[in-house]
Amino acid sequence: MKKINPPYSWLKISLWGICFFLCFIVSAQIKETPKQRIANFYKWYGKTDAIPFEGDCYESDGVDVSKIDMKCIQKYITSIETTDLFSSIYIKALQQEFLQKQANIKKNGYAAGMDYDRYTLSQDPPSIKELLFALNNSSTTAISGIKAKVIVNLTKPYKINYIYSLNLENNIWKLSKIESKKFNAKNTRNHSFGGNS
């Protein structure tokens, strides 16, 4: 008959118990799921007066940007950051985008402007009602550690997949990247914005 070493078994069970307890505590502190976070993002996006307009910081010639007011851009970035919806990865990518535009203006006299909405990656964005309906009825969520991906399949008014990458920061799921894949009979267009999640 094999003898079991009680202290070792008790230690092993205790360690597993502590791990389980800590995981439970951490998951209990996360108040929103990634899907709920995207719903809050949509609600924020729906309040047009809550969204600062980055175009106010540009001097433009058509779609090209000829001058950027970097103090205005910093206020814009700060206002985006204070929503607590966007991760440090997203904010860093946003800062890099504007610094690159500034460098292009210095080098070439202009930088490419954005001819579509930053948050829906579309010139003709769907309504908040359509986005929330798709989120609640035709979306999938995948979570791997501190990373998550929510894919929202919108079918009306047109077919588009929104892919949201999120990172867990301070027990809050935050957007790191927004991508879209628009499908029609002839072609597929891909857009994305944000950092590498």
Side-chain angles (χ1 to χ4, degrees):
M1 185 165 152
K2 191 171 182 183
K3 199 172 186 182
I4 297 174
N5 186 350
Y8 175 74
S9 297
W10 177 248
L11 178 65
K12 194 172 181 182
I13 291 168
S14 296
L15 289 175
W16 278 108
I18 290 168
C19 278
F20 177 77
F21 181 73
L22 289 175
C23 289
F24 176 76
I25 294 293
V26 169
S27 65
Q29 290 176 347
I30 301 169
K31 295 181 177 153
E32 293 176 310
T33 65
K35 186 175 173 179
Q36 289 169 325
R37 203 68 175 145
I38 298 302
N40 285 334
F41 165 67
Y42 287 161
K43 290 171 188 170
W44 170 79
Y45 176 75
K47 296 176 187 170
T48 52
D49 57 333
I51 303 173
F53 180 56
E54 68 187 78
D56 291 341
C57 302
Y58 299 152
E59 284 182 24
S60 300
D61 181 15
V63 293
D64 292 330
V65 177
S66 55
K67 187 175 181 183
I68 301 176
D69 179 344
M70 291 307 279
K71 284 184 182 177
C72 178
I73 286 295
Q74 192 52 52
K75 284 181 187 174
Y76 168 74
I77 291 172
T78 300
S79 67
I80 296 301
E81 196 170 13
T82 57
T83 66
D84 216 23
L85 290 167
F86 300 92
S87 74
S88 57
I89 295 167
Y90 187 97
I91 298 301
K92 188 182 266 189
L94 196 59
Q95 291 167 333
Q96 288 303 312
E97 176 190 340
F98 293 123
L99 289 173
Q100 186 60 55
K101 281 185 193 301
Q102 185 79 333
N104 289 345
I105 291 169
K106 193 172 183 179
K107 183 179 178 184
N108 305 320
Y110 70 94
M114 188 176 281
D115 64 346
Y116 53 87
D117 177 76
R118 179 178 293 281
Y119 304 106
T120 60
L121 307 173
S122 172
Q123 292 178 334
D124 183 23
S127 71
I128 302 312
K129 187 178 176 182
E130 291 162 339
L131 288 167
L132 286 169
F133 181 84
L135 177 66
N136 291 324
N137 295 289
S138 60
S139 67
T140 58
T141 303
I143 300 173
S144 176
I146 61 165
K147 295 178 185 292
K149 193 166 280 197
V150 178
I151 300 173
V152 179
N153 304 306
L154 192 75
T155 56
K156 290 180 182 177
Y158 41 78
K159 292 184 178 181
I160 189 165
N161 291 333
Y162 283 110
I163 301 118
Y164 301 100
S165 297
L166 299 99
N167 282 65
L168 195 60
E169 291 184 356
N170 300 318
N171 291 324
I172 300 171
W173 289 109
K174 295 185 181 184
L175 273 163
S176 294
K177 190 172 187 179
I178 302 170
E179 300 172 273
S180 71
K181 292 183 181 178
K182 187 172 182 178
F183 298 97
N184 63 32
K186 294 186 179 181
N187 66 1
T188 302
R189 287 191 314 156
N190 295 324
H191 287 295
S192 70
F193 181 78
N196 296 326
S197 51

